[in-house]
Amino acid sequence: MSNVGKIALEEIKILVTNVFLKQGCNKENASALANTITKAEEDGSSSHGLFRVPGYVASLQSGKVNGHASPKIKQVSPVILKCDADNGFASTAHETSLPLLADAAKKNGISVLSIKGCYHFAALWPETEYLARQNLVGFACTAFKPSVAPAGAKEAFFGTNPISMAWPRSNNEPVVFDMATATMAKGEVMIAARDGHNLPDGVGLGENGEPSNDPKDILKGVLLPFGGYKGSAISMMVELFAAGLTGDVFSYEAQEKDNNDGGPPSGGEFIMALNPEIIADSNWEKHCDDFFQKLLSIDGVRLPGSRRHKNRLGDQYRSINEELLLKVKSFL
Amino acid sequence: MSNVGKIALEEIKILVTNVFLKQGCNKENASALANTITKAEEDGSSSHGLFRVPGYVASLQSGKVNGHASPKIKQVSPVILKCDADNGFASTAHETSLPLLADAAKKNGISVLSIKGCYHFAALWPETEYLARQNLVGFACTAFKPSVAPAGAKEAFFGTNPISMAWPRSNNEPVVFDMATATMAKGEVMIAARDGHNLPDGVGLGENGEPSNDPKDILKGVLLPFGGYKGSAISMMVELFAAGLTGDVFSYEAQEKDNNDGGPPSGGEFIMALNPEIIADSNWEKHCDDFFQKLLSIDGVRLPGSRRHKNRLGDQYRSINEELLLKVKSFL
């Protein structure tokens, strides 16, 4: 009975593909979403894996998300791509448009993909890492519904507004960070609430507007941005890039629009690809590898993303909360 | 005697222009640098104003910086500009190349200016605000010499690595942030040391590697990144953009190369312009203005950059430390 609670990644993929087919997705949409969820579990990022399935299903059942989405892409200049995600999940829009974004950056040195009308409920590193594996620098950000108080405020206005960058290395895994601009991602707070763990100081304010360490209390209150007014400025930049530049909703508008079915709110995503082969000098890769080696040689330092990449190289089984697994299977 | 210690901005500009002409700059370089310093004093940003003159002068006297620099610009694609600053101050490179950067973004939607071989000792908002005044989003970052410990470390490796973004508003001042990715900028710590003020917790470690509140002790020790490992990731991104993508030195290489004359180290700068008219929807400006109004309506919130813009609208005199003023005049 040593495999109790363990499940193979391939099995996860088949399971969720079937769940989404059953719940109203066509093949293309079910497969894109299953890839996203399986990659999250592969990397040990449980807050973006099976944990999200009930939310995805709720948004299909309520009719909010189009499970047959067929994203449309318009190239408005040699370096600017606009994708209308057709009210589908972000994963489908990515599979359609990221290859075109990469091509534009390879040719011109930089390119932007502005996605509108999508439902993003996952990590951002799948899109930035995709670009890094094409020898490009990837950058992405997206807003959400308000759960973070701007610096100085006690009420939620910003989303957790994640930001990700991936740096390409041909002989190594890319260096990738992917982080909420809240002190902690909402998914992590939800996991802590589920598992009954207390949170460190500074993560958020409770229902009464006072600092709290109880994840359940913070979920009723408000999260704080990382690093005070500086993190708050970064979070504002995410709103402006993901909503101002895409023409989709700011977090506060997403809130007004959402049907609160427990799934992701509608929104935009800003993705950028930069090509060091054109922007930088010819020795850029060696130059940057020396930098990473030097950084790693310092006591106490690790490269962002390395834990995820290490998880990925482990065995092909993952331990999944049994209650969650039963819940996911109930959607079949 | 009510004007004791007060000096008109126009007088500051003439004074520093003459100082730099006397200290080895030609007209073009002296004027660009004087503009940068006067703008800083105008906005009440004293740590980037006259305070920097002794350092600028030292770097001219030691022969490190070329006071007759004539920046060369190469357009390697319709959207990528590379500027060789000819070992001059960054201000000269900006005056030469920012108009071309703006033109490329107006035409194509996004553009990058990668500056190499410059000496940057000022704020970044002059370049990002310049772009915002052309109805573009401006983004800039630059590295420095190591003074910040990466998350987990006790030794300096990152520079204070400032990052700035400016958002255009045709009926209002642009919204601009410009911040060190250290908890506090080194210039601010130097000002606190000069004035004998203690610093809050978390700004840095002292000479012995322990947390300290004494700015003099922290100047011998190391600064910490804002917001822990998340701010550390942003600081790493700045190194990669300002050095990895420009082909100029990382902070640790700047240290090895510098002659420690008290002036700025040599380095690169990464500047990006984005054109909402092409990337975003046609109603982007109204959409974003509504966002800013909503943000400002929250109790306790102010827009980044608003204090500087308010200072700018005040009278045209600034209070200057008299010892500093005497020092600056001694260079005539």
Side-chain angles (χ1 to χ4, degrees), chain B residues 43-68:
Chain B
D43 283 14
S45 169
S46 54
S47 62
H48 290 106
L50 289 169
F51 179 69
R52 292 288 196 197
V53 172
Y56 282 122
V57 168
S59 66
L60 286 163
Q61 287 182 346
S62 77
K64 185 170 72 180
V65 176
N66 177 8
H68 292 248

PDB file of all heavy atoms in Angstrom, chain B residues 43-68:
ATOM      1  N   ASP B  43      12.563  68.973  -8.304  1.00  0.00           N
ATOM      2  CA  ASP B  43      11.587  68.024  -7.766  1.00  0.00           C
ATOM      3  C   ASP B  43      11.811  67.701  -6.295  1.00  0.00           C
ATOM      4  O   ASP B  43      11.121  66.841  -5.735  1.00  0.00           O
ATOM      5  CB  ASP B  43      11.623  66.731  -8.580  1.00  0.00           C
ATOM      6  CG  ASP B  43      10.893  66.891  -9.911  1.00  0.00           C
ATOM      7  OD1 ASP B  43      10.614  68.045 -10.294  1.00  0.00           O
ATOM      8  OD2 ASP B  43      10.606  65.863 -10.550  1.00  0.00           O
ATOM      9  N   GLY B  44      12.798  68.351  -5.673  1.00  0.00           N
ATOM     10  CA  GLY B  44      13.056  68.085  -4.259  1.00  0.00           C
ATOM     11  C   GLY B  44      13.778  66.774  -4.015  1.00  0.00           C
ATOM     12  O   GLY B  44      13.786  66.239  -2.913  1.00  0.00           O
ATOM     13  N   SER B  45      14.393  66.236  -5.067  1.00  0.00           N
ATOM     14  CA  SER B  45      15.119  64.973  -4.955  1.00  0.00           C
ATOM     15  C   SER B  45      16.590  65.293  -4.690  1.00  0.00           C
ATOM     16  O   SER B  45      17.457  65.129  -5.547  1.00  0.00           O
ATOM     17  CB  SER B  45      14.924  64.198  -6.259  1.00  0.00           C
ATOM     18  OG  SER B  45      15.776  63.094  -6.328  1.00  0.00           O
ATOM     19  N   SER B  46      16.871  65.740  -3.438  1.00  0.00           N
ATOM     20  CA  SER B  46      18.203  66.289  -3.154  1.00  0.00           C
ATOM     21  C   SER B  46      19.311  65.250  -3.285  1.00  0.00           C
ATOM     22  O   SER B  46      20.449  65.595  -3.594  1.00  0.00           O
ATOM     23  CB  SER B  46      18.236  66.942  -1.772  1.00  0.00           C
ATOM     24  OG  SER B  46      17.785  66.032  -0.812  1.00  0.00           O
ATOM     25  N   SER B  47      18.982  63.965  -3.106  1.00  0.00           N
ATOM     26  CA  SER B  47      20.044  62.962  -3.194  1.00  0.00           C
ATOM     27  C   SER B  47      20.549  62.785  -4.630  1.00  0.00           C
ATOM     28  O   SER B  47      21.554  62.109  -4.861  1.00  0.00           O
ATOM     29  CB  SER B  47      19.564  61.622  -2.627  1.00  0.00           C
ATOM     30  OG  SER B  47      18.479  61.124  -3.374  1.00  0.00           O
ATOM     31  N   HIS B  48      19.857  63.349  -5.624  1.00  0.00           N
ATOM     32  CA  HIS B  48      20.331  63.276  -7.010  1.00  0.00           C
ATOM     33  C   HIS B  48      20.667  64.645  -7.592  1.00  0.00           C
ATOM     34  O   HIS B  48      20.872  64.770  -8.791  1.00  0.00           O
ATOM     35  CB  HIS B  48      19.297  62.584  -7.899  1.00  0.00           C
ATOM     36  CG  HIS B  48      19.186  61.129  -7.617  1.00  0.00           C
ATOM     37  ND1 HIS B  48      18.121  60.596  -6.952  1.00  0.00           N
ATOM     38  CD2 HIS B  48      20.030  60.107  -7.871  1.00  0.00           C
ATOM     39  CE1 HIS B  48      18.301  59.293  -6.820  1.00  0.00           C
ATOM     40  NE2 HIS B  48      19.449  58.970  -7.371  1.00  0.00           N
ATOM     41  N   GLY B  49      20.699  65.670  -6.736  1.00  0.00           N
ATOM     42  CA  GLY B  49      20.963  67.022  -7.217  1.00  0.00           C
ATOM     43  C   GLY B  49      22.405  67.433  -6.973  1.00  0.00           C
ATOM     44  O   GLY B  49      23.342  66.689  -7.293  1.00  0.00           O
ATOM     45  N   LEU B  50      22.574  68.623  -6.393  1.00  0.00           N
ATOM     46  CA  LEU B  50      23.919  69.161  -6.145  1.00  0.00           C
ATOM     47  C   LEU B  50      24.774  68.203  -5.323  1.00  0.00           C
ATOM     48  O   LEU B  50      26.001  68.182  -5.448  1.00  0.00           O
ATOM     49  CB  LEU B  50      23.806  70.507  -5.416  1.00  0.00           C
ATOM     50  CG  LEU B  50      23.276  71.658  -6.285  1.00  0.00           C
ATOM     51  CD1 LEU B  50      22.939  72.879  -5.425  1.00  0.00           C
ATOM     52  CD2 LEU B  50      24.294  72.037  -7.354  1.00  0.00           C
ATOM     53  N   PHE B  51      24.106  67.414  -4.493  1.00  0.00           N
ATOM     54  CA  PHE B  51      24.777  66.407  -3.670  1.00  0.00           C
ATOM     55  C   PHE B  51      25.712  65.522  -4.498  1.00  0.00           C
ATOM     56  O   PHE B  51      26.710  65.005  -4.007  1.00  0.00           O
ATOM     57  CB  PHE B  51      23.691  65.555  -2.997  1.00  0.00           C
ATOM     58  CG  PHE B  51      24.194  64.445  -2.134  1.00  0.00           C
ATOM     59  CD1 PHE B  51      24.852  64.722  -0.932  1.00  0.00           C
ATOM     60  CD2 PHE B  51      24.027  63.120  -2.503  1.00  0.00           C
ATOM     61  CE1 PHE B  51      25.312  63.690  -0.116  1.00  0.00           C
ATOM     62  CE2 PHE B  51      24.485  62.088  -1.701  1.00  0.00           C
ATOM     63  CZ  PHE B  51      25.125  62.373  -0.503  1.00  0.00           C
ATOM     64  N   ARG B  52      25.363  65.310  -5.787  1.00  0.00           N
ATOM     65  CA  ARG B  52      26.154  64.424  -6.633  1.00  0.00           C
ATOM     66  C   ARG B  52      27.329  65.128  -7.313  1.00  0.00           C
ATOM     67  O   ARG B  52      28.171  64.462  -7.930  1.00  0.00           O
ATOM     68  CB  ARG B  52      25.261  63.827  -7.733  1.00  0.00           C
ATOM     69  CG  ARG B  52      24.197  62.868  -7.255  1.00  0.00           C
ATOM     70  CD  ARG B  52      24.795  61.577  -6.809  1.00  0.00           C
ATOM     71  NE  ARG B  52      23.786  60.519  -6.703  1.00  0.00           N
ATOM     72  CZ  ARG B  52      23.970  59.390  -6.029  1.00  0.00           C
ATOM     73  NH1 ARG B  52      25.109  59.155  -5.407  1.00  0.00           N
ATOM     74  NH2 ARG B  52      23.024  58.478  -5.970  1.00  0.00           N
ATOM     75  N   VAL B  53      27.364  66.470  -7.255  1.00  0.00           N
ATOM     76  CA  VAL B  53      28.383  67.199  -8.031  1.00  0.00           C
ATOM     77  C   VAL B  53      29.817  66.801  -7.667  1.00  0.00           C
ATOM     78  O   VAL B  53      30.637  66.558  -8.566  1.00  0.00           O
ATOM     79  CB  VAL B  53      28.161  68.731  -7.923  1.00  0.00           C
ATOM     80  CG1 VAL B  53      29.318  69.490  -8.554  1.00  0.00           C
ATOM     81  CG2 VAL B  53      26.842  69.109  -8.620  1.00  0.00           C
ATOM     82  N   PRO B  54      30.161  66.703  -6.367  1.00  0.00           N
ATOM     83  CA  PRO B  54      31.541  66.305  -6.057  1.00  0.00           C
ATOM     84  C   PRO B  54      31.923  64.967  -6.713  1.00  0.00           C
ATOM     85  O   PRO B  54      33.054  64.816  -7.197  1.00  0.00           O
ATOM     86  CB  PRO B  54      31.543  66.204  -4.529  1.00  0.00           C
ATOM     87  CG  PRO B  54      30.468  67.158  -4.084  1.00  0.00           C
ATOM     88  CD  PRO B  54      29.398  67.045  -5.137  1.00  0.00           C
ATOM     89  N   GLY B  55      30.991  64.025  -6.757  1.00  0.00           N
ATOM     90  CA  GLY B  55      31.269  62.741  -7.408  1.00  0.00           C
ATOM     91  C   GLY B  55      31.463  62.896  -8.913  1.00  0.00           C
ATOM     92  O   GLY B  55      32.388  62.321  -9.499  1.00  0.00           O
ATOM     93  N   TYR B  56      30.565  63.677  -9.545  1.00  0.00           N
ATOM     94  CA  TYR B  56      30.715  63.922 -10.988  1.00  0.00           C
ATOM     95  C   TYR B  56      32.092  64.540 -11.274  1.00  0.00           C
ATOM     96  O   TYR B  56      32.803  64.131 -12.195  1.00  0.00           O
ATOM     97  CB  TYR B  56      29.621  64.886 -11.481  1.00  0.00           C
ATOM     98  CG  TYR B  56      28.247  64.274 -11.690  1.00  0.00           C
ATOM     99  CD1 TYR B  56      27.131  64.766 -11.013  1.00  0.00           C
ATOM    100  CD2 TYR B  56      28.053  63.229 -12.588  1.00  0.00           C
ATOM    101  CE1 TYR B  56      25.852  64.229 -11.215  1.00  0.00           C
ATOM    102  CE2 TYR B  56      26.784  62.690 -12.799  1.00  0.00           C
ATOM    103  CZ  TYR B  56      25.688  63.194 -12.102  1.00  0.00           C
ATOM    104  OH  TYR B  56      24.440  62.664 -12.309  1.00  0.00           O
ATOM    105  N   VAL B  57      32.459  65.551 -10.464  1.00  0.00           N
ATOM    106  CA  VAL B  57      33.726  66.250 -10.679  1.00  0.00           C
ATOM    107  C   VAL B  57      34.908  65.291 -10.497  1.00  0.00           C
ATOM    108  O   VAL B  57      35.856  65.277 -11.298  1.00  0.00           O
ATOM    109  CB  VAL B  57      33.833  67.469  -9.730  1.00  0.00           C
ATOM    110  CG1 VAL B  57      35.247  68.029  -9.722  1.00  0.00           C
ATOM    111  CG2 VAL B  57      32.832  68.548 -10.148  1.00  0.00           C
ATOM    112  N   ALA B  58      34.833  64.468  -9.439  1.00  0.00           N
ATOM    113  CA  ALA B  58      35.920  63.512  -9.190  1.00  0.00           C
ATOM    114  C   ALA B  58      36.132  62.609 -10.399  1.00  0.00           C
ATOM    115  O   ALA B  58      37.275  62.317 -10.782  1.00  0.00           O
ATOM    116  CB  ALA B  58      35.589  62.681  -7.953  1.00  0.00           C
ATOM    117  N   SER B  59      35.016  62.188 -11.022  1.00  0.00           N
ATOM    118  CA  SER B  59      35.146  61.255 -12.148  1.00  0.00           C
ATOM    119  C   SER B  59      35.678  61.940 -13.400  1.00  0.00           C
ATOM    120  O   SER B  59      36.242  61.282 -14.285  1.00  0.00           O
ATOM    121  CB  SER B  59      33.800  60.578 -12.428  1.00  0.00           C
ATOM    122  OG  SER B  59      32.853  61.522 -12.889  1.00  0.00           O
ATOM    123  N   LEU B  60      35.514  63.252 -13.485  1.00  0.00           N
ATOM    124  CA  LEU B  60      36.132  64.005 -14.589  1.00  0.00           C
ATOM    125  C   LEU B  60      37.616  64.231 -14.290  1.00  0.00           C
ATOM    126  O   LEU B  60      38.482  64.074 -15.161  1.00  0.00           O
ATOM    127  CB  LEU B  60      35.421  65.350 -14.776  1.00  0.00           C
ATOM    128  CG  LEU B  60      34.031  65.292 -15.426  1.00  0.00           C
ATOM    129  CD1 LEU B  60      33.250  66.586 -15.179  1.00  0.00           C
ATOM    130  CD2 LEU B  60      34.135  65.003 -16.931  1.00  0.00           C
ATOM    131  N   GLN B  61      37.904  64.568 -13.035  1.00  0.00           N
ATOM    132  CA  GLN B  61      39.298  64.852 -12.651  1.00  0.00           C
ATOM    133  C   GLN B  61      40.176  63.615 -12.764  1.00  0.00           C
ATOM    134  O   GLN B  61      41.352  63.703 -13.129  1.00  0.00           O
ATOM    135  CB  GLN B  61      39.339  65.404 -11.223  1.00  0.00           C
ATOM    136  CG  GLN B  61      38.810  66.833 -11.131  1.00  0.00           C
ATOM    137  CD  GLN B  61      38.893  67.399  -9.714  1.00  0.00           C
ATOM    138  OE1 GLN B  61      39.092  66.663  -8.761  1.00  0.00           O
ATOM    139  NE2 GLN B  61      38.732  68.722  -9.596  1.00  0.00           N
ATOM    140  N   SER B  62      39.605  62.449 -12.446  1.00  0.00           N
ATOM    141  CA  SER B  62      40.414  61.220 -12.526  1.00  0.00           C
ATOM    142  C   SER B  62      40.565  60.750 -13.964  1.00  0.00           C
ATOM    143  O   SER B  62      41.313  59.812 -14.239  1.00  0.00           O
ATOM    144  CB  SER B  62      39.765  60.111 -11.688  1.00  0.00           C
ATOM    145  OG  SER B  62      38.653  59.567 -12.381  1.00  0.00           O
ATOM    146  N   GLY B  63      39.835  61.358 -14.866  1.00  0.00           N
ATOM    147  CA  GLY B  63      39.921  60.959 -16.273  1.00  0.00           C
ATOM    148  C   GLY B  63      39.066  59.752 -16.602  1.00  0.00           C
ATOM    149  O   GLY B  63      39.081  59.246 -17.728  1.00  0.00           O
ATOM    150  N   LYS B  64      38.259  59.292 -15.622  1.00  0.00           N
ATOM    151  CA  LYS B  64      37.426  58.104 -15.862  1.00  0.00           C
ATOM    152  C   LYS B  64      36.329  58.402 -16.870  1.00  0.00           C
ATOM    153  O   LYS B  64      36.063  57.592 -17.767  1.00  0.00           O
ATOM    154  CB  LYS B  64      36.818  57.639 -14.529  1.00  0.00           C
ATOM    155  CG  LYS B  64      36.029  56.356 -14.606  1.00  0.00           C
ATOM    156  CD  LYS B  64      35.660  55.838 -13.207  1.00  0.00           C
ATOM    157  CE  LYS B  64      34.579  56.691 -12.550  1.00  0.00           C
ATOM    158  NZ  LYS B  64      34.227  56.183 -11.198  1.00  0.00           N
ATOM    159  N   VAL B  65      35.688  59.558 -16.720  1.00  0.00           N
ATOM    160  CA  VAL B  65      34.576  59.913 -17.602  1.00  0.00           C
ATOM    161  C   VAL B  65      35.041  60.901 -18.677  1.00  0.00           C
ATOM    162  O   VAL B  65      35.820  61.817 -18.407  1.00  0.00           O
ATOM    163  CB  VAL B  65      33.406  60.523 -16.797  1.00  0.00           C
ATOM    164  CG1 VAL B  65      32.287  60.970 -17.730  1.00  0.00           C
ATOM    165  CG2 VAL B  65      32.864  59.500 -15.803  1.00  0.00           C
ATOM    166  N   ASN B  66      34.521  60.667 -19.871  1.00  0.00           N
ATOM    167  CA  ASN B  66      34.846  61.517 -21.020  1.00  0.00           C
ATOM    168  C   ASN B  66      33.890  62.711 -21.075  1.00  0.00           C
ATOM    169  O   ASN B  66      32.723  62.562 -21.427  1.00  0.00           O
ATOM    170  CB  ASN B  66      34.732  60.665 -22.291  1.00  0.00           C
ATOM    171  CG  ASN B  66      34.984  61.459 -23.563  1.00  0.00           C
ATOM    172  OD1 ASN B  66      35.393  62.634 -23.516  1.00  0.00           O
ATOM    173  ND2 ASN B  66      34.743  60.815 -24.702  1.00  0.00           N
ATOM    174  N   GLY B  67      34.387  63.889 -20.741  1.00  0.00           N
ATOM    175  CA  GLY B  67      33.552  65.091 -20.730  1.00  0.00           C
ATOM    176  C   GLY B  67      33.243  65.625 -22.121  1.00  0.00           C
ATOM    177  O   GLY B  67      32.468  66.568 -22.285  1.00  0.00           O
ATOM    178  N   HIS B  68      33.852  65.013 -23.140  1.00  0.00           N
ATOM    179  CA  HIS B  68      33.588  65.398 -24.532  1.00  0.00           C
ATOM    180  C   HIS B  68      32.885  64.265 -25.268  1.00  0.00           C
ATOM    181  O   HIS B  68      33.011  64.144 -26.494  1.00  0.00           O
ATOM    182  CB  HIS B  68      34.900  65.752 -25.239  1.00  0.00           C
ATOM    183  CG  HIS B  68      35.539  67.007 -24.731  1.00  0.00           C
ATOM    184  ND1 HIS B  68      35.644  68.153 -25.483  1.00  0.00           N
ATOM    185  CD2 HIS B  68      36.080  67.312 -23.524  1.00  0.00           C
ATOM    186  CE1 HIS B  68      36.246  69.097 -24.768  1.00  0.00           C
ATOM    187  NE2 HIS B  68      36.523  68.615 -23.573  1.00  0.00           N
TER     188      HIS B  68
END
